Amino acid sequence: MVLTESLPLIPLPNSAVPGEGALRLTDATRVHGEPSSARMLVDAMTRRTGMRLEIAPDASGPASGDIVLRVDPAAGAAEGYRLVIADDAEIVGADSAGLAHGVHTLLQLLREDDDGWALRHAVVSDAPRFAYRGVMLDVARRFFPVDEVRTVIDRAAALKFNHLHLHLSDDQGWRIHIDSWPLLSQRSSTASATGDGSLAGGGCYSRADYSEIVAYAASRHITVVPEIDMPGHTHAIGVAYPELVEAPVMNEHLLDDAARLGHALPEAGVPYTGWGVGHSSLRIREERTYDFVRDVLTELAELTPGPYLHIGGDESLGTSAEDFAYFVGRATEIVSSLGKTPVAWHEAGAAPGLASGTVGQFWGALTPEAAHAAQAARFVERGGRLILSPSDAAYLDMKYDEHFPIGQDWAGVIDVQRAYDWEPVTLLDVPASAIAGVEAPLWTETVRSLADAEQLMHPRLAAVAEVAWSAPGPQRSWASFRERLGAQAPAWRADGIRFHPTPEIPWSDR
Ligand code: ACM
């Protein structure tokens, strides 16, 4: 690993060597090569500098000072790239995703000085540590319209994330139109987690909306992972189709939370806006339930080009252990039969019939409870891999500190250092090869706007980005990270990112 102290890059590249000078950007600077990355680069530079660089037609050769973008599989591992900024600039991606990652690196080297805008001379060679680098958006507790999801995609892509997990259903709302069960979009999508029974923050994606999100994400080299959370977290389904769900089962936590927060308790068939969990269950022993599951997953598979369908499986406290195991076996088999890879939260590992190859998503603590670790390990025994979302480090909905006005604290308060300082490979007792990667979930009970979401995401999303992308080494340290993070502030402000200006970070003005 080459020292990168003076290059303000996040996530930290494999190797980054600063040069002495800078490549000046002028009205004459042109961008050549792969059109979609060229457009992305030019648009981002315009937002930042006000200058609009010209995209050169294919035939014209680059002149000195130009920027060249190309793909060459010899340039490194999957999603890797090589970037050289000297008298001119060249990014060579090992594939189109690698090229886009290189463009984001180049944008972080853009600086304004007394002579105008310039790119710092540098040679960067880079590729990701983990193949799966995800962000999760809970659109069930609060619905985000398509244009806001596009913004989240742009923010994630800039940090080299490559998966967007959409939590499309929960007790409070169902967010994707299903042709074969049309009442879901009509009746189950009106509520959100307002707490007070009022119907604000609801909504539902049409098939076209969802396809637009998938296509936009693909244009940013991000794969959408849709989740239908089952067999718990299913109250909203019962608002449209009461015959599919059991009556709510109260638990002590739910009763305590409802009393503390002043939220109403769940009532069968009535939209639920509280924050309690664990009260709802699909009817496990009725075949109609599996007609529903198969129809929904079939439509979702048709709309989803990516390899994964997430079936949830967390906090199914209203389902007996035996019924839960039966359900998980059947639901994961349905996903496999559709040619997709099932993904489930780690509790699903308890099911003996878990379909082989199912990917587990671990959301326990950095010091895992033995039962959670054992459930996660079962996915690996069944030939699956793991996505790590430790709730006391990677959960973006926890408060930064106890006084932070939004967010929850049940997993702890998570400052930026806590989001940064953890090691995926030694978290669970599984082989390193079993770790597919890392995901940062944003649950949205306390989120009322995109601005709220951005405050919770930034800057912690950058910390998780580095955990997911950057191999361990001397510069993969909190001391280095906080300096490099502080240097992002001007670009983030120019991009309109409403980040939390935590005093942990030395934010720079220019
Ligand atoms: C979860 O936080 N219930 C996955």
Side-chain angles (χ1 to χ4, degrees):
M1 170 105 35
V2 177
L3 292 189
T4 53
E5 200 69 270
S6 48
L7 288 177
L9 300 174
I10 289 182
L12 182 76
N14 276 346
S15 156
V17 182
E20 289 297 322
L23 171 59
R24 294 267 147 224
L25 296 174
T26 70
D27 289 344
T29 308
R30 299 196 304 168
V31 181
H32 303 254
E34 204 269 330
S36 82
S37 283
R39 240 183 347 266
M40 185 179 78
L41 172 62
V42 166
D43 288 347
M45 281 213 179
T46 303
R47 278 197 303 276
R48 185 82 190 282
T49 68
M51 266 192 284
R52 182 125 199 119
L53 303 188
E54 186 190 336
I55 297 180
D58 282 347
S60 57
S64 179
D66 282 358
I67 301 170
V68 176
L69 310 177
R70 60 190 183 87
V71 171
D72 179 351
E79 296 190 81
Y81 66 91
R82 224 180 123 70
L83 160 68
V84 178
I85 303 173
D87 292 341
D88 32 47
E90 183 180 57
I91 306 173
V92 187
D95 46 33
S96 57
L99 180 58
H101 297 322
V103 167
H104 290 299
T105 298
L106 178 139
L107 288 166
Q108 291 183 357
L109 292 168
L110 187 59
R111 283 291 176 278
E112 189 178 28
D113 60 24
D114 292 341
D115 298 320
W117 288 96
L119 292 167
R120 175 82 187 266
H121 281 180
V123 176
V124 178
S125 167
D126 203 6
R129 180 183 189 194
F130 293 110
Y132 187 106
R133 304 178 306 282
V135 179
M136 191 207 83
L137 189 60
D138 172 6
V139 297
R141 267 54 170 269
R142 182 193 178 276
F143 181 70
F144 289 79
V146 173
D147 63 326
E148 294 185 348
V149 179
R150 290 161 87 107
T151 300
V152 171
I153 289 169
D154 285 338
R155 308 289 194 235
L159 291 166
K160 302 183 172 60
F161 284 95
N162 64 357
H163 288 80
L164 173 69
H165 169 180
L166 288 177
H167 184 75
L168 288 168
S169 70
D170 213 300
D171 291 313
Q172 295 81 358
W174 181 281
R175 308 300 184 203
I176 174 101
H177 176 76
I178 300 293
D179 278 344
S180 50
W181 295 81
L183 299 184
L184 292 167
S185 49
Q186 290 173 34
R187 297 187 187 160
S188 302
S189 70
T190 54
S192 72
T194 52
D196 61 5
S198 70
L199 297 184
C204 193
Y205 303 120
S206 66
R207 290 168 64 97
D209 290 339
Y210 179 78
S211 294
E212 191 181 333
I213 291 170
V214 167
Y216 189 76
S219 78
R220 297 296 185 262
H221 308 280
I222 286 179
T223 299
V224 170
V225 181
E227 178 188 357
I228 301 297
D229 201 353
M230 303 176 287
H233 292 274
T234 44
H235 183 94
I237 296 170
V239 175
Y241 297 103
E243 69 275 20
L244 293 176
V245 301
E246 302 287 358
V249 180
M250 305 302 162
N251 59 66
E252 208 174 299
H253 258 306
L254 174 79
L255 295 170
D256 286 353
D257 278 355
R260 181 173 53 84
L261 298 163
H263 292 174
L265 292 171
E267 219 183 302
V270 176
Y272 177 60
T273 66
W275 297 359
V277 298
H279 47 91
S280 53
S281 178
L282 290 174
R283 291 192 186 172
I284 303 299
R285 301 291 170 174
E286 291 191 17
E287 244 353 84
R288 186 94 178 116
T289 294
Y290 299 94
D291 295 341
F292 171 81
V293 172
R294 190 175 301 102
D295 289 346
V296 167
L297 293 175
T298 299
E299 289 195 32
L300 211 46
E302 283 165 8
L303 293 173
T304 304
Y308 302 117
L309 294 185
H310 199 310
I311 56 118
D314 59 322
E315 298 176 311
S316 296
L317 311 177
T319 316
S320 72
E322 192 187 341
D323 279 359
F324 178 73
Y326 176 79
F327 179 86
V328 167
R330 289 205 56 183
T332 54
E333 280 304 336
I334 289 170
V335 173
S336 297
S337 75
L338 293 168
K340 298 291 188 185
T341 300
V343 186
W345 297 104
H346 69 240
E347 291 99 312
L354 182 74
S356 63
T358 301
V359 170
Q361 184 164 11
F362 174 78
W363 65 281
L366 285 175
T367 304
E369 285 181 29
H372 299 165
Q375 287 161 352
R378 281 266 301 129
F379 287 86
V380 182
E381 288 161 22
R382 301 280 297 162
R385 302 177 79 205
L386 292 168
I387 298 164
L388 302 181
S389 303
S391 50
D392 52 357
Y395 267 33
L396 299 167
D397 61 315
M398 293 300 119
K399 290 175 180 289
Y400 287 89
D401 60 66
E402 63 198 28
H403 304 296
F404 202 69
I406 52 172
Q408 303 217 61
D409 61 4
W410 59 262
V413 295
I414 301 179
D415 61 17
V416 182
Q417 183 169 8
R418 190 171 170 90
Y420 181 82
D421 255 341
W422 61 283
E423 167 49 46
V425 159
T426 51
L427 179 50
L428 295 166
D429 191 13
V430 296
S433 59
I435 306 302
V438 167
E439 183 173 291
L442 179 64
W443 303 99
T444 53
E445 286 92 338
T446 69
V447 171
R448 291 288 167 269
S449 63
L450 182 62
D452 284 356
E454 287 187 325
Q455 284 230 346
L456 290 167
M457 292 173 104
H458 297 279
R460 290 181 294 196
L461 194 57
V464 181
E466 185 147 313
V467 175
W469 178 277
S470 308
Q475 292 300 306
R476 224 295 244 144
S477 70
W478 168 245
S480 162
F481 175 78
R482 65 189 285 280
E483 297 291 332
R484 288 182 280 113
L485 180 57
Q488 308 305 315
W492 285 10
R493 289 191 195 103
D495 262 345
I497 299 178
R498 292 157 286 193
F499 61 95
H500 169 47
T502 165
E504 291 172 272
I505 305 299
W507 300 107
S508 68
D509 291 330
R510 190 174 170 183

